[in-house]
Amino acid sequence: KAGVTQTPRYLIKTRGQQVTLSCSPISGHRSVSWYQQTPGQGLQFLFEYFSETQRNKGNFPGRFSGRQFSNSRSEMNVSTLELGDSALYLCASSLGLRGVEQYFGPGTRLTVT
Amino acid sequence: AQKVTQAQTEISVVEKEDVTLDCVYETRDTTYYLFWYKQPPSGELVFLIRRNSFDEQNEISGRYSWNFQKSTSSFNFTITASQVVDSAVYFCALSEEKSSGDKLTFGTGTRLAVRP
């Protein structure tokens, strides 16, 4: 089975721009979660989608949004980019059952200049 | 609120040494799940193990073993006879039953360096 894929792998954007990141989960997985990883804040939960519905949301401003499509693929969008949004964005997929393990993709490295 | 503490920021050992990575968690939920992930330099988080709060049995998988103790809220990870390939950042994580969905709360990670 193919693993979780994320595109693009690297991205450089300018402050004020917006960006869309994409995640394709493992086949059969219905839950997709997004995490932000920075040296200062570590790994932080952004949000989770299950069957096209947002099931949980972390403490991030409204500039961070996401969605999930009927094929379970997910996108996250960050509008009005700030320097502090520079991070590794990790996507994880799971079967969506309570407490099951999540499998992570390679991440998208976003640099905001 | 849930919290995971990994007090060891960095550990350096010589190959073939045993090493234990500590993880202490806090939760008010009676049903919860604990995980360990490995993050090699490539950046991808690799799942290692999952434990639910009702299963306190220790587990061994090859050179890896895990010790779960509810009495001390700890879920420690031991690598026996460490190898250079074990060099990575290791994260302990917690998921609560009452939390809707799959939200994982991570510790700050322990960077393990295994020297030849």
Side-chain angles (χ1 to χ4, degrees):
Chain A
K1 255 188 188 178
V4 179
T5 58
Q6 292 186 246
T7 56
R9 293 292 311 280
Y10 302 92
L11 208 47
I12 300 175
K13 289 287 189 178
T14 303
R15 234 173 4 172
Q17 289 186 315
Q18 76 164 21
V19 66
T20 299
L21 312 182
S22 181
C23 171
S24 292
I26 291 171
S27 177
H29 284 190
R30 296 169 65 191
S31 168
V32 173
S33 297
W34 290 88
Y35 295 83
Q36 181 197 65
Q37 186 176 27
T38 59
Q41 299 299 316
L43 277 157
Q44 293 188 288
F45 173 78
L46 280 156
F47 29 64
E48 183 214 353
Y49 287 88
F50 179 79
S51 292
E52 301 179 68
T53 301
Q54 187 179 84
R55 191 157 70 166
N56 207 344
K57 190 178 189 307
N59 295 325
F60 278 81
R63 300 185 297 107
F64 291 82
S65 62
R67 60 177 175 169
Q68 187 180 33
F69 302 95
S70 57
N71 61 358
S72 293
R73 192 177 69 83
S74 176
E75 288 181 349
M76 67 163 280
N77 184 277
V78 187
S79 62
T80 321
L81 284 166
E82 300 177 359
L83 296 178
D85 297 332
S86 295
L88 179 66
Y89 290 88
L90 292 162
C91 165
S93 78
S94 79
L95 291 171
L97 304 173
R98 189 70 79 221
V100 296
E101 58 270 23
Q102 297 178 40
Y103 293 91
F104 285 78
T108 294
R109 172 78 58 188
L110 172 65
T111 301
V112 182
T113 62
Chain B
Q2 67 272 34
K3 184 179 178 182
V4 177
T5 301
Q6 294 180 256
Q8 304 152 307
T9 305
E10 292 192 36
I11 300 176
S12 181
V13 299
V14 177
E15 209 170 17
K16 296 184 183 174
E17 277 187 37
D18 298 347
V19 58
T20 295
L21 310 182
D22 298 333
C23 173
V24 174
Y25 61 91
E26 293 177 31
T27 177
R28 293 179 183 171
D29 212 342
T30 53
T31 303
Y32 51 89
Y33 308 89
L34 296 164
F35 304 83
W36 275 95
Y37 283 87
K38 173 182 180 180
Q39 188 174 41
S42 60
E44 187 169 338
L45 281 166
V46 178
F47 167 75
L48 295 177
I49 190 171
R50 165 189 176 276
R51 256 294 172 267
N52 73 53
S53 52
F54 297 109
D55 183 1
E56 284 193 75
Q57 271 196 322
N58 292 330
E59 180 153 341
I60 298 175
S61 176
R63 298 183 297 107
Y64 295 172
S65 62
W66 291 269
N67 183 304
F68 176 31
Q69 291 197 336
K70 286 178 76 171
S71 60
T72 56
S73 297
S74 65
F75 186 41
N76 297 337
F77 172 30
T78 298
I79 301 175
T80 303
S82 59
Q83 299 176 2
V84 172
V85 293
D86 295 327
S87 297
V89 181
Y90 291 86
F91 291 94
C92 181
L94 166 71
S95 173
E96 294 178 320
E97 176 77 8
K98 286 183 182 163
S99 162
S100 59
D102 276 352
K103 175 185 174 181
L104 285 174
T105 298
F106 285 90
T108 51
T110 297
R111 182 178 299 277
L112 174 64
V114 182
R115 308 186 308 274

